[in-house]
Amino acid sequence: MLLRPASHAVAPPLQTRQRARLSCCRAAGASDGLLQPRRPQRRVAGGGGGSAGGGSFRESGRRRFEPRDEGEAPVPQEPIQPRLLTTIIKEAASIEHLARITDAQGSRFNFIHTAAAFARAGKLAGSGAARPADAYPLLRGLSALLEPQLDDCGTREHANVVWACAKAGYAEPVPLLEACFARLADRSAEATSQGLANALWAAAKLRLAVPEQQAAQLLSALVAQQQAATPQNLANTLWAAATLQLAVPEQQAAQLLSALVAQRQAAKPQEISNALWAAATLQLAVPEQQAAQLLSALVAQQQAATPQALANALWAAATLQLTVPEQQAAELLSALVAQRQAATPQNLANTLWAAAKLCGSAAPPDVEAALLRLAAAVDERLVAAMNGQDVSNSLWALSQLGLRPAPLTQRLADVAMPLAPAMTPQHLANTALAAAKLGVGGTVLFAALAGAAGRQLQGFTTQNLCNLAWALAIADQRQLAGAAVALAQRAATAEVWAQTVAEDHGQLHQVHVWLMGLDGRGLSGALSPAQLRECEAAWEARPRGQPAASKKRRAA
């Protein structure tokens, strides 16, 4: 099973962008927008509101300004008008500048100023203007200021606060974040679609343990506003629901996806990709026509799509078992080749896996040519950065596609050996299967895979056991005959054998025949006579003309 696109993924590093008056930013497989602070309708203690009727005062005498970095606006030390203070906060040029403003004027902050400072800190941290960790001391201080002001805040302020913390990756004030989320859920009918989407995105980014009822309230409120929601809001909501593993009612998810399809011409490539990824992760029944419309919209913007967006879209199409036209698949692959310098190991592995799932061993000529160009573009640095899952998925995909691009296959086999101890049973079995079919790796790799398998046999499924034993036989790894017997013995136990199917039996028969040629005993003793007869019968009953080494298992 493929994880993350990311995550995997999962899910995947994104860019900041401007949209209308909203500051929009993308992160971890989703994008988000900042809401402008709402102006109060009443006077607020501690400095008044930001509207004309909110109460303000004039300062007398000359203002004092502390030293500042070149290009930064001066920081007034004397009391100033609340509305002007909001403006100064929103125009802070850096985290340090915003911290000086807070130091000088924080005692006069009302809830609007505090929420605005949160939002500005989040925007600066998320835009790359500062390291996220640099904002933590400031956010810690702002959290202390906001706690007694929470009841004054509206849905907009609550959404902006959790958004800002997510942008900076600041999950420290969990009680405060949970309080903001709970208040937003209680008043979800008053929130805008952007505020609702931002809150769900933030909860997913920060991995908050969102109560199911609160998440359901936000989702329901957003569905009610689906016609007013932007593609970004809709995609972020679907992405957040998938990331948080929320139990989204099928009808609500379908409504959100349909609303995005209706706005697909205005959607960015990442928003389309995120929606497809979410649909696949949530296991939605996406109508073929809607999927085709979204894919077509992404293909039209392929030059603007990131490697992550391209890879995730292909992964989603494969997971949803969609039919992707040859030309579209080839164009998406070619766009990924053009951006290979920005691709990650996961992007490569997900793309190869998706191609194998979509095409099997019969990739159309244009798709195969694009895959070979992609394989040739993969450098040693990218392969060296892969984890066990990436390596296993890549080798499995190439073996299913019937492609043996050198030097990629050999590089993958080389890095698989030191990664074997950390691989899951499924990845160990899939890697062995692929290496046997591709003819790469040799004794050292198979010994590493078999050794790692021997230490975690209890975690192997029936299929994993039979696949790995079969791979050792097909690769003629004679020095590992004992490992093959041990795998068969585990498969022969009552609780495991009850789960075996005809394909498993056929594979074990081949292992038996291979071992018979080595010691004359085969799997006698490892399997009972009745089990051996069952395996032989399954082998004899297999479809003729289907060589054992090319069988398509449910291994991926």
Side-chain angles (χ1 to χ4, degrees), residues 31 116 177 186 204 227 250 289 309 332 343 359 362 377 382 409 414 422 546:
S31 54
L177 293 170
D186 288 342
Q227 299 304 321
E250 185 79 22
Q289 182 180 4
L332 293 175
C359 304
L382 197 62
T409 50
D414 289 342
Q546 181 181 2

Side-chain angles (χ1 to χ4, degrees), residues 14-17 23-28 30-34 118-128 130-133 135-136 139 160-170 198 201-202 205-206:
L14 311 162
Q15 296 97 6
T16 302
R17 58 192 174 86
S23 172
C24 303
C25 183
R26 304 179 171 202
S31 54
D32 61 300
L34 174 63
F118 264 103
R120 186 59 180 165
K123 183 176 181 181
L124 289 167
S127 68
R131 295 184 307 167
Y136 290 2
L139 291 172
N160 278 354
V161 168
V162 296
W163 175 89
C165 289
K167 289 299 296 175
Y170 182 64
N198 281 358
W201 175 86
K205 270 283 290 177
L206 293 170

Side-chain angles (χ1 to χ4, degrees), residues 66-75 93-97 100:
E66 67 174 21
R68 65 185 189 278
D69 293 337
E70 185 176 353
E72 288 186 355
V75 177
S94 65
I95 291 293
E96 294 77 11
H97 187 199
R100 288 197 290 272

